[in-house]
Amino acid sequence: MQLQQTLKKCYSFEGKGLHTGRVAKMTIKPAPADTGIRFRRTDIGEDAYVPALAENVSCTARSTTISCGQASVSTIEHVMSALTGMGVDNAVIDIDNIEVPILDGSAKPYIDAIWHDGFLQQDAPRRYVELTETVEIRNDEKGSVVRLEPAEEFSYNIKVDFNSRVLGVQNAQWDSSVVYPEEIGICRTFVFFHEIEFLYKNNLVKGGDVDNAIVIVEHPVTEEQVNRMSQLFNVPALTVREDGYLSNLVLRFPNECARHKLLDLIGDLRLCGGFLKAKVTAEKAGHGINTAAAKAVRATL
């Protein structure tokens, strides 16, 4: 029998939010058995809790936001994914602003802080989310699908296709044979070069920079455009590599972008309320369809 577990101690993180640019301090704390994952907006009040459940999803525009009453917390997917991938059943996450810090754009900072300390086992059996029927959500306009089938063991498979000459078609998977902290959790978010100016003009990715995102250069760009990007992010001498990525980073895996989409999917589907026993298959997935699938699972329970 698998027992529930929580953290051995508190872990604090501080940084700017990817979309708002606001600096937040966030502390992940141990919690009693059967707590699940709960956020608390400490700047609003001691009781400003937001349970991390699909029915509390309030926005999925380029990240996942959950809300309860006056309290909202955005861009929760990376920390939710980290706790799931490391096997944490119960935690309270205190945060003093609306958006979770983006840190390096992956779940690696959480893994680096928590993983090697181990976890505290609790005197209660793990509560699995077990399906009695197949759940499938489709978006035919985007060609997206998330399908969850009943299974004895969990498995996640994702296919990523942005019609990109740089990315091509990428696949990634997670099951019990894959070490999440080493093979998925360290994979960073990404953005296309041609999207960045649009995102800034529309009040998004105010906290984005080349330290917390992989920048993909899909279309030919001028030296002037690259120089402007260098000035925007205050990073000297940026260039475009032959493989279509900005020169400031080295990919952690050839399919790092697909692995990051898998990271997101794991975090979003944790909003089902626990650890899934399901075969998950996703194609062209994003936060909207991921959380819609989590809501559909919740509706069957």
Side-chain angles (χ1 to χ4, degrees):
M1 180 180 66
Q2 178 71 50
L3 295 176
Q4 293 182 33
Q5 54 186 16
T6 188
L7 309 174
K8 286 185 175 178
K9 62 181 184 180
C10 298
Y11 300 88
S12 293
F13 306 88
E14 187 169 355
K16 59 188 176 181
L18 175 62
H19 299 293
T20 63
R22 298 179 188 176
V23 173
K25 182 175 181 180
M26 184 176 79
T27 301
I28 309 174
K29 299 180 173 183
D34 296 325
T35 299
I37 308 299
R38 303 173 75 196
F39 289 81
R40 179 169 58 177
R41 283 287 302 276
T42 57
D43 56 319
I44 294 177
E46 284 299 304
D47 297 320
Y49 285 99
V50 188
L53 297 171
E55 54 265 35
N56 291 330
V57 172
S58 55
C59 182
T60 55
R62 288 190 169 265
S63 67
T64 298
T65 300
I66 54 174
S67 303
C68 185
Q70 298 299 310
S72 292
V73 187
S74 65
T75 318
I76 65 166
E77 57 270 13
H78 296 175
V79 67
M80 290 293 293
S81 185
L83 294 175
T84 304
M86 290 188 290
V88 177
D89 297 82
N90 306 298
V92 170
I93 303 172
D94 284 352
I95 185 168
D96 65 1
N97 214 321
I98 189 169
E99 188 175 13
V100 172
I102 190 60
L103 304 176
D104 82 332
S106 76
K108 186 176 186 295
Y110 307 121
I111 292 164
D112 288 348
I114 298 169
W115 180 247
H116 297 294
D117 285 343
F119 304 96
L120 180 66
Q121 285 204 331
Q122 299 174 294
D123 190 20
R126 171 166 287 172
R127 292 188 173 186
Y128 288 98
V129 177
E130 300 186 59
L131 279 65
T132 57
E133 60 190 70
T134 295
V135 172
E136 182 175 288
I137 304 295
R138 305 186 71 91
N139 183 324
D140 291 333
E141 183 180 342
K142 295 182 178 179
S144 304
V145 60
V146 174
R147 179 181 176 90
L148 299 95
E149 302 171 67
E152 286 300 311
E153 300 289 338
F154 76 91
S155 64
Y156 291 66
N157 289 272
I158 192 167
K159 179 180 178 182
V160 173
D161 184 1
F162 285 87
N163 193 29
S164 163
R165 68 172 182 85
V166 176
L167 291 182
V169 177
Q170 295 187 2
N171 295 275
Q173 52 279 327
W174 180 46
D175 56 32
S176 59
S177 70
V178 177
V179 182
Y180 173 95
E182 298 174 358
E183 300 179 65
I184 299 168
I186 64 174
C187 295
R188 296 159 291 187
T189 193
F190 59 95
V191 66
F192 289 95
F193 188 97
H194 62 268
E195 294 180 309
I196 293 176
E197 283 191 330
F198 170 82
L199 292 170
Y200 269 89
K201 288 176 182 176
N202 285 271
N203 231 20
L204 293 168
V205 297
K206 285 184 173 181
D209 59 42
V210 294
D211 291 325
N212 57 37
I214 298 167
V215 180
I216 300 161
V217 185
E218 183 65 29
H219 305 299
V221 295
T222 65
E223 185 176 345
E224 180 185 356
Q225 286 175 298
V226 176
N227 289 339
R228 189 162 66 241
M229 190 68 60
S230 297
Q231 293 169 1
L232 183 64
F233 292 131
N234 195 30
V235 177
L238 280 177
T239 59
V240 180
R241 297 185 342 203
E242 288 186 5
D243 59 1
Y245 295 92
L246 279 191
S247 60
N248 64 296
L249 58 80
V250 175
L251 290 178
R252 291 169 179 165
F253 298 94
N255 65 336
E256 182 170 355
C257 294
R259 291 178 190 234
H260 182 81
K261 280 293 190 181
L262 177 59
L263 182 159
D264 283 345
L265 178 67
I266 293 164
D268 286 337
L269 290 183
R270 181 62 188 274
L271 296 172
C272 290
F275 292 88
L276 280 166
K277 280 190 176 181
K279 177 184 177 182
V280 180
T281 308
E283 186 169 347
K284 296 186 177 181
H287 300 297
I289 197 167
N290 295 348
T291 56
K295 288 179 183 179
V297 169
R298 295 279 296 168
T300 71
L301 301 180

